[in-house]
Amino acid sequence: MDSRSNAPAVECHRLTKGFDSSQGRIAVLQGIDLRVEPGELFMLVGPSGCGKTTLLSVLAGILRPDGGSCSVAGVEWSSLSPSALASRRASTIGFVFQQFNLLPALTAAENVAVPLFLQGVGRRERLRAAHALLEQVGLERYADARPTKLSGGQQQRVAIARALVHSPKLIVCDEPTSALDHETGTRVMDLLRDRGLRDGRTIVLVTHDSRIYPYADRIAFMDDGMIIDIKDSRNQPASTGASHA
């Protein structure tokens, strides 16, 4: 049996990350300790510039940390070569963004199929899978529509279908509701919880939108590159996992 089957969805220890500027090196993440379990909807919240999106990017394998460790589904990102990391990220991570990031020249179905294209899946099979996902999110009749013909909520549902089509273990969401009105944002969050957490998948979501906090299983509050508190919305005691290095 693969020992990774019982691994946390995400596990970080003493994670640090900084960026160079004209004023010198700026520390953005300062010793993050974090554990997210499979099946959780975990939110990262805090003021602008506190490190939320940087942390999300490290979890997703987009940025490499300066120090510490970060593993997803039992695989330590830093142990992988750049090509292996790209391959692992393509198969393991699903992305949902604030601005949808749909390709305007492609239909809704073709947009949903992009992760499968990157994995080398044949056109017929990937479009079949895309149509099945669009049906699940209530957009099958828009499969041949270009993004410009869709509302913001419809575009975000296409983006969610794209994030799910390759059955990733982790879905990372960067402000998925901030470009949507409250009613549409609520429908999107209902969809994320209903579809995104199936089969043991995990969601880590960055947001400024306090209206969607009730959807979280746990909420990590960040400031100055540290996790300063974790609220367990399931009314169970939770360690903050904070480090004040």
Side-chain angles (χ1 to χ4, degrees):
M1 181 177 178
D2 189 345
S3 63
R4 292 179 300 189
S5 61
N6 296 319
V10 172
E11 191 166 30
C12 302
H13 294 292
R14 308 295 293 171
L15 199 65
T16 61
K17 179 65 179 176
F19 297 98
D20 292 324
S21 74
S22 57
Q23 288 77 41
R25 189 75 172 172
I26 297 176
V28 178
L29 302 179
Q30 303 191 64
I32 296 285
D33 290 324
L34 179 64
R35 181 184 174 110
V36 183
E37 299 298 338
E40 276 197 279
L41 198 163
F42 190 93
M43 289 188 185
L44 298 169
V45 307
S48 296
C50 72
K52 303 185 302 297
T53 297
T54 298
L55 177 55
L56 194 73
S57 297
V58 172
L59 301 185
I62 296 171
L63 293 176
R64 286 191 180 268
D66 296 335
S69 63
C70 180
S71 63
V72 173
V75 176
E76 166 60 48
W77 284 140
S78 64
S79 70
L80 302 176
S81 67
S83 60
L85 174 59
S87 176
R88 181 78 182 177
R89 184 172 62 231
S91 63
T92 305
I93 310 294
F95 296 90
V96 180
F97 302 98
Q98 174 183 352
Q99 298 301 332
F100 321 133
N101 286 6
L102 301 179
L103 300 172
L106 301 183
T107 66
E110 289 167 341
N111 268 285
V112 172
V114 164
L116 297 178
F117 170 78
L118 296 176
Q119 293 181 15
V121 176
R123 177 176 173 80
R124 178 177 296 181
E125 183 179 348
R126 65 178 185 259
L127 287 178
R128 179 195 57 76
H131 279 268
L133 258 298
L134 286 172
E135 183 176 6
Q136 289 185 34
V137 303
L139 291 176
E140 171 62 12
R141 67 191 182 101
Y142 295 99
D144 295 327
R146 298 292 196 278
T148 54
K149 301 298 182 181
L150 303 176
S151 69
Q154 289 169 335
Q155 290 186 61
Q156 193 60 292
R157 279 189 280 164
V158 171
I160 291 170
R162 179 183 59 193
L164 296 174
V165 73
H166 57 306
S167 300
K169 296 181 182 299
L170 175 66
I171 300 169
V172 296
C173 307
D174 193 1
E175 301 281 3
T177 63
S178 62
L180 306 174
D181 61 75
H182 179 57
E183 182 180 353
T184 304
T186 296
R187 289 200 299 268
V188 163
M189 289 305 302
D190 286 338
L191 180 61
L192 272 172
R193 274 210 72 97
D194 179 48
R195 301 290 175 179
L197 294 179
R198 291 186 177 185
D199 303 320
R201 283 190 293 260
T202 303
I203 296 173
V204 177
L205 186 153
V206 163
T207 188
H208 283 100
D209 187 355
S210 61
R211 298 172 299 181
I212 67 172
Y213 287 4
Y215 287 92
D217 294 308
R218 289 190 296 153
I219 302 174
F221 296 87
M222 293 187 66
D223 200 8
D224 293 331
M226 296 180 286
I227 293 175
I228 58 174
D229 191 20
I230 294 182
K231 174 185 176 182
D232 193 329
S233 302
R234 302 160 298 188
N235 296 317
Q236 296 176 1
S239 169
T240 65
S243 175
H244 298 280

